[in-house]
Amino acid sequence: MANLGKPPDFDVVVIGAGFAGLGMLRRLREENGMSVQVYETGDGVGGTWYWNRYPGARCDSESYVYCFTFSKELLQDWDWSGKYPEQPEILSYLNHVADRFDLRRNIQFNTRVTSARFLEDTSLWEIETDQGDRVTAQFLITGIGCISSGNVPDIKGLDSFQGEWYHTGSWPHEKVDFAGKRVAVIGTGSSGIQSIPVIAEQAEHLSVFQRTPQYTVPARHGTVDRKFIEEKIKPNYEEVLEKARWSVGGFPIDRDERSALEVTAEERLEAYEAGWAEGGIRFLGASFKDISVDRRANDTMSEFIRNKIREMVSDPETVEKLLPTDHPFGSKRPLIDTNYFDTYNRENVELIDIRHSPIQEITPNGIRTEDEEYEFDMIVFATGFDAMTGTYFKMDIRGRNDLSLKEKWSEGPKTYLGLQTVGFPNMFMITGPGSPSVLSNMPVSIEQHIDWIADLLQFMRDGDIKSVEADENAETAWVAHVNEVAEPTMYMLADSWYLGANIPGKPRVFMPYVGGVGNYRKKCNEIADNGYEGFILDAGRR
Ligand SMILES: Cc1cc2nc3c(=O)[nH]c(=O)nc-3n(C[C@H](O)[C@H](O)[C@H](O)COP(=O)(O)OP(=O)(O)OC[C@H]3O[C@@H](n4cnc5c(N)ncnc54)[C@H](O)[C@@H]3O)c2cc1C
């Protein structure tokens, strides 16, 4: 073929310019000395924080651990203003990183990768974009995000709606004005519970369409505690970060190593009240060790939250609708809110239970459920994402023997460590399915993958190795392990997007790795130390 012997256009093509793409670009360019081209659909950096500009959009990880850690100077220089970083602030942080490390010169914005094909004769990837680019690279690395394909449900009649409608995951850059409007929010996942209280304060009337009642924990958001950051975090940053890297969820917090069932009811209540008062991820993260694996232990926490809902919401009928009884706490993505339940005490807010009265259609003037017709000026879809695999399937990715990724993953994603998938040599996924990814504080997992991939690429360069591919047996064993560790957990007891349950027709497979960030890191390190066990390294091609 024409390409034989011809050097590729780039050593590496990276897709996406969020945390993953930016970090990968910097690492490979600055430390590996490789040529890198990044393609990004959006017209700026930021990924999640570029697209999700809905009111109330905020990160649930505390700001001092939701950041890059490769630069000591950056860690010391950057000051977050909020306890939890809000969307505009994360976006300006990522813009700062892009400028400070001169990353934009290798990013082509407004460019969507449409296909990527592995050329077997040269072991190169050929990448095509919607802007007409067609380039080759030795390596293809996806930094496309786990939750970056918004899911607008296929409801009859949406085209006929005469008002405005938005999805939280692709929110307009201009301010959306809710004043004087009758607004519907469909969905009570993370984006819903963040946006509902803010929209309620601005709209004339807000109707929330709820399918699943949720457990949510107060964030206790506020301005950052400067004394804590200056005295406890900044002087000890490396120690704090190491703790996060070797933890279960990527947060520097200690879990209570007792069982919820071995303490007295009073001690348990005291622990839950303390966690509730601290709020946020600490409520779950620092709690008893068996909440996520023992249903009886979990019941004590689930009931604690239900009691809080009973206390917070005044109307008994609304309380009944809000009480989550069909799944245990922590079986779906943990939610952290500001004034969510209080919002249902407002005069201008109503809750519509669409599990009992499903939406039939969207009409020119609003929404019709089985029981009633409602009129709206605006509909907000807070309906989440086609997570973990949706964004991959929007591209035509083809490996050896023209195998398409979509076909290979038709029964659910299959990977080795969430980093590679058999049949797709020299392609890596940052936080791919089968890695801790969405079950963790993601920058910790993203950076771990960035470093691991960059080290492997260096190892290959040093050893004149041209291609790397996961071994079939290693992949099969890893997929089995991912399933095995998920099986006894609460995660299997809910219809969640972790299981693909929010997307009609999607195979029901638990996609992230639940074994913990620290254990996973250890495993990846051991594999690398053993000469990249489970990967086939080939010096022969090209
Ligand atoms: C509302 C919301 C709240 C969140 N809260 C938290 C939190 O509290 N804690 C936490 O750890 N994580 C949170 N996350 C997860 C968040 O996605 C990650 O923390 C992190 O931002 C992911 O970075 P990324 O670079 O991997 O992916 P993303 O930020 O999703 O970036 C991927 C980029 O790839 C681009 N892209 C995709 N396909 C293509 C293509 N074919 N061609 C070109 N470009 C493409 C996209 O445009 C996007 O810009 C949240 C996510 C959302 C949506």
Side-chain angles (χ1 to χ4, degrees), residues 15-21 39-42 46-49 51-52 54 58-61 66 111-113 143-148 191 333 385 391 395 431 440-443 446:
I15 314 176
F19 262 100
Y39 294 108
E40 166 57 54
T41 308
T48 294
W49 309 104
W51 297 106
N52 289 262
Y54 60 84
R58 187 162 60 222
C59 183
D60 294 339
S61 308
Y66 193 75
T111 305
R112 193 170 66 80
V113 171
I144 57 178
C146 298
I147 34 182
S148 49
S191 309
R333 189 206 188 263
F385 301 88
T391 313
M395 294 178 276
T431 64
S440 67
N441 176 33
M442 288 205 69
I446 288 170

Side-chain angles (χ1 to χ4, degrees), residues 315-478:
D315 174 48
E317 248 180 67
T318 309
V319 170
E320 277 314 303
K321 288 186 203 162
L322 285 170
L323 287 182
T325 49
D326 62 343
H327 64 283
F329 176 60
S331 57
K332 291 164 88 78
R333 189 206 188 263
L335 303 178
I336 294 175
D337 73 276
T338 298
N339 300 332
Y340 177 68
F341 290 115
D342 282 345
T343 299
Y344 293 100
N345 295 327
R346 295 178 66 100
E347 295 271 298
N348 68 334
V349 176
E350 75 178 316
L351 179 63
I352 297 158
D353 178 355
I354 54 172
R355 182 164 288 172
H356 291 108
S357 179
I359 294 178
Q360 296 295 302
E361 66 173 328
I362 294 179
T363 65
N365 297 323
I367 296 176
R368 193 169 62 75
T369 66
E370 219 165 76
D371 297 331
E372 226 169 303
E373 190 153 352
Y374 303 86
E375 291 197 352
F376 298 112
D377 304 305
M378 191 190 286
I379 301 175
V380 174
F381 289 93
T383 41
F385 301 88
D386 184 352
M388 314 287 299
T389 54
T391 313
Y392 284 95
F393 295 163
K394 284 188 176 165
M395 294 178 276
D396 185 17
I397 302 181
R398 290 183 183 266
R400 279 190 291 107
N401 304 319
D402 207 33
L403 174 67
S404 89
L405 187 66
K406 198 169 180 176
E407 209 178 295
K408 167 155 185 202
W409 286 2
S410 58
E411 289 167 7
K414 294 186 172 65
T415 71
Y416 181 36
L417 300 172
L419 280 160
Q420 272 213 315
T421 183
V422 175
F424 298 78
N426 287 2
M427 173 179 139
F428 294 94
M429 297 167 284
I430 302 176
T431 64
S435 71
S437 59
V438 290
L439 299 183
S440 67
N441 176 33
M442 288 205 69
V444 172
S445 293
I446 288 170
E447 282 197 323
Q448 186 244 336
H449 271 185
I450 288 172
D451 289 338
W452 195 93
I453 295 167
D455 288 347
L456 170 53
L457 266 46
Q458 193 58 45
F459 177 84
M460 290 175 71
R461 186 168 263 196
D462 294 346
D464 210 16
I465 294 161
K466 297 294 183 290
S467 95
V468 57
E469 182 181 352
D471 170 65
E472 186 108 44
N473 292 331
E475 179 170 288
T476 305
W478 184 254

Side-chain angles (χ1 to χ4, degrees), residues 129-196:
T129 76
D130 65 351
Q131 298 302 307
D133 306 278
R134 183 194 227 176
V135 299
T136 54
Q138 187 182 0
F139 298 101
L140 172 68
I141 303 180
T142 57
I144 57 178
C146 298
I147 34 182
S148 49
S149 280
N151 166 45
V152 178
D154 187 16
I155 305 175
K156 192 174 114 193
L158 179 57
D159 286 351
S160 73
F161 183 58
Q162 286 172 357
E164 306 156 63
W165 70 266
Y166 306 99
H167 184 277
T168 50
S170 48
W171 199 260
H173 291 199
E174 313 73 51
K175 190 175 174 344
V176 173
D177 189 7
F178 301 99
K181 300 214 170 103
R182 297 160 304 171
V183 181
V185 172
I186 303 180
T188 53
S190 186
S191 309
I193 66 111
Q194 285 188 342
S195 57
I196 285 163

